[in-house]
Amino acid sequence: MSNASLNTPSPSDVRQVLAAYGWDEGWEAGFAPYAAQELVPGRVVRVDRGQCDVVTAGGVLRADTAFVTPHDPLRVVCTGDWVAVEPDGNPRYVRTYLPRRTAFVRSTSSKRSEGQILAANVDHAIVAVSLAAELELARVERFLALAWESGAQPLVVLTKADLVPDPVTLAHLVQDVETAAPGVPVLSVSAEQGEGLDVLAAVVAGGTAVLLGQSGAGKSTLANALLGEDTMDVQAVRDVDGKGRHTTTTRNLLAMPGGGVLIDTPGLRGVGLWDASTGVGQVFAEIEELARGCRFHDCAHESEPGCAVVVAIDTGELSVRRLESYRKLMRENQRIIAKTDARMRAELRKEWKRRGAIGKAAMEAKRGRVR
C-alpha cells in the first residue's frame, strides 16, 4: 500500500483490473461524474480506525475516510463499498462512495440502538452454522432475517459435516434447517475433507459473498478453502461447547480464484435486528401466507376468532417453535423501529391501550359471570 501519486487510470485499465472485484457497466456509469473530476475508482477491501484499504487499477492504496464520516453510522465507508479516491495526497482521502445496491445492517448492542453496517454491495450472504454444536434454529432464522433484509440472496452452510459421519443423521439436520429457512439453499460442507466446497464455490462464483456466523462456526477455515490459501488465521474450538474466540477481527474483502470476492467477518455474538420486517416476513413466509386467511387483518395470532395461524398450530401444519420465533423477532423489530420512529411509537402505544382495554373488558365480563 502506498500514498504515492497515481496516474488517472483509463476506463479500459479499470475494467481489466477491477472486473475481478465486481466492477461492471452499472458502476462505471455511476462513477462517470467523479471520473470527470479525475478521481480514482476503487473498492474498499478493509476498514479500520478511520482509514481504509482500497483496491484500484493501480494497486491497493491506503485512504482516509474523514470526508465520509457523518453522524449517521449507516453512512460511513464500509467493506464492499465502491469509492472515489483522490489520485494523490498525503494523506489521501476517499471523497464519496457510490450508492449501495445492498447493505447488511444489524443493530448495535448500545442503549442508543443504532444501526451498524457490516458489508455493502453483497450478492450472497453465507450463514455458517457449525455441526460441532447443537443446532440453534432460532439463531439461524435471525441471521436469515438480516440477510433477506439486506437485499442479498442468503444461503446456509452447515460446516464441519465430517463430525456427523452418519448420512441419515446429517440428512435430518439439513432437513431441520431447511424447514427454518424456506426458499434458502442449505449445503453441508467439510472444509477439512473438501466435501461440498465445489458446490458452494459454484453458487457464489462471479459475485460478492459475505461470510457470517458465530465464533467457532468454522468461517475462517471455510474462507481459506474458498480462497485456496491460508489467508485467514484459524484457532482451535473449545470441545465443551463448540465455540471459539474471534479469529477474524476486521471485515476483509478478498478475490476468490474461481471468480467472485469473499468478505469474511468477525464472529457475531449479538445479532440484533435493524428495521428488518421484510426480512422476518421472508424467513417466516408460511406464517405470513397463513395470516392472509385470518378473519382480522391485525390478528395477533394468539386467541382471536378465525385465526388461520392458530388453526395451523392445532392441526400440526405449523410448529409452535416457528410461531414463537416469529413473534419474538417481530416484537424485537417493532421495539427497534419505535426507538427511532415517533409515529411508530404512537401506533404501538395505541395498540397496547387497545389490547389492554380488551383484556380489561374480558376480565370484567369474567367477574360478572362468576358473580
Side-chain angles (χ1 to χ4, degrees):
M1 288 170 291
S2 169
N3 275 337
S5 292
L6 290 175
N7 294 323
T8 303
S10 68
S12 61
D13 288 340
V14 171
R15 294 189 204 106
Q16 183 176 358
V17 176
L18 295 185
Y21 291 88
W23 186 258
D24 58 27
E25 292 180 356
W27 293 121
E28 185 172 342
F31 192 81
Y34 307 108
Q37 301 172 35
E38 298 188 344
L39 295 174
V40 175
R43 193 164 194 192
V44 177
V45 298
R46 175 188 171 104
V47 178
D48 61 274
R49 299 180 181 179
Q51 293 190 314
C52 62
D53 297 339
V54 183
V55 60
T56 70
V60 179
L61 53 84
R62 190 76 164 166
D64 196 299
T65 64
F67 278 102
V68 198
T69 308
H71 295 298
D72 184 353
L74 297 180
R75 297 179 63 190
V76 299
V77 172
C78 76
T79 303
D81 272 329
W82 286 100
V83 295
V85 187
E86 295 175 341
D88 54 27
N90 191 12
R92 176 183 282 116
Y93 288 98
V94 171
R95 283 295 175 177
T96 189
Y97 62 81
L98 298 185
R100 293 160 177 158
R101 294 177 180 175
T102 63
F104 192 95
V105 180
R106 68 165 179 175
S107 69
T108 65
S109 57
S110 68
K111 292 182 179 179
R112 290 185 295 178
S113 297
E114 294 178 331
Q116 178 189 20
I117 184 163
L118 300 180
N121 303 313
V122 172
D123 301 298
H124 306 282
I126 304 172
V127 179
V129 181
S130 173
L131 291 176
E134 185 176 354
L135 283 177
E136 295 183 58
L137 296 178
R139 183 171 289 274
V140 174
E141 290 161 346
R142 178 179 290 273
F143 270 109
L144 290 175
L146 293 176
W148 278 122
E149 191 68 32
S150 75
Q153 169 64 50
L155 64 152
V156 178
V157 174
L158 303 179
T159 65
K160 308 180 185 181
D162 53 290
L163 299 181
V164 187
D166 178 28
V168 175
T169 301
L170 180 59
H172 283 310
L173 291 171
V174 171
Q175 187 176 29
D176 287 344
V177 177
E178 286 176 337
T179 301
V184 176
V186 179
L187 306 175
S188 60
V189 306
S190 169
E192 293 290 340
Q193 299 183 1
E195 296 176 357
L197 292 174
D198 54 342
V199 177
L200 176 59
V203 170
V204 300
T208 297
V210 62
L211 192 51
L212 308 159
Q214 288 182 284
S215 298
K219 296 192 311 302
S220 294
T221 301
L222 185 60
N224 286 336
L226 289 171
L227 294 167
E229 56 183 326
D230 292 339
T231 302
M232 314 307 296
D233 291 333
V234 178
Q235 294 180 343
V237 174
R238 299 194 300 257
D239 292 333
V240 63
D241 56 10
K243 296 180 180 179
R245 297 186 297 275
H246 289 300
T247 300
T248 305
T249 56
T250 58
R251 289 171 281 281
N252 304 282
L253 185 149
L254 299 160
M256 292 183 286
V261 294
L262 179 69
I263 300 176
D264 192 18
T265 65
L268 301 174
R269 290 193 180 94
V271 192
L273 300 185
W274 179 257
D275 196 3
S277 57
T278 300
V280 174
Q282 288 182 274
V283 174
F284 299 94
E286 80 278 29
I287 297 178
E288 299 266 308
E289 181 63 29
L290 285 167
R292 294 188 181 97
C294 291
R295 182 183 301 177
F296 304 109
H297 76 277
D298 58 348
C299 183
H301 317 310
E302 293 174 350
S303 59
E304 293 88 346
C307 176
V309 175
V310 171
V311 171
I313 291 288
D314 293 339
T315 61
E317 181 184 352
L318 178 67
S319 72
V320 173
R321 189 206 68 77
R322 284 280 286 172
L323 180 57
E324 289 178 346
S325 184
Y326 171 73
R327 286 171 174 163
K328 180 178 180 180
L329 293 182
M330 288 297 285
R331 286 195 301 267
E332 179 182 330
N333 194 65
Q334 285 182 330
R335 286 196 298 269
I336 288 294
I337 295 173
K339 288 181 179 180
T340 56
D341 189 325
R343 187 176 64 179
M344 174 62 76
R345 286 198 298 271
E347 290 177 354
L348 281 177
R349 280 196 295 269
K350 287 173 61 178
E351 177 65 13
W352 292 334
K353 287 181 180 179
R354 184 183 72 83
R355 292 195 182 185
I358 292 173
K360 184 178 179 181
M363 286 298 296
E364 289 177 352
K366 184 177 180 180
R367 287 171 185 161
R369 287 195 299 270
V370 172
R371 290 173 186 170

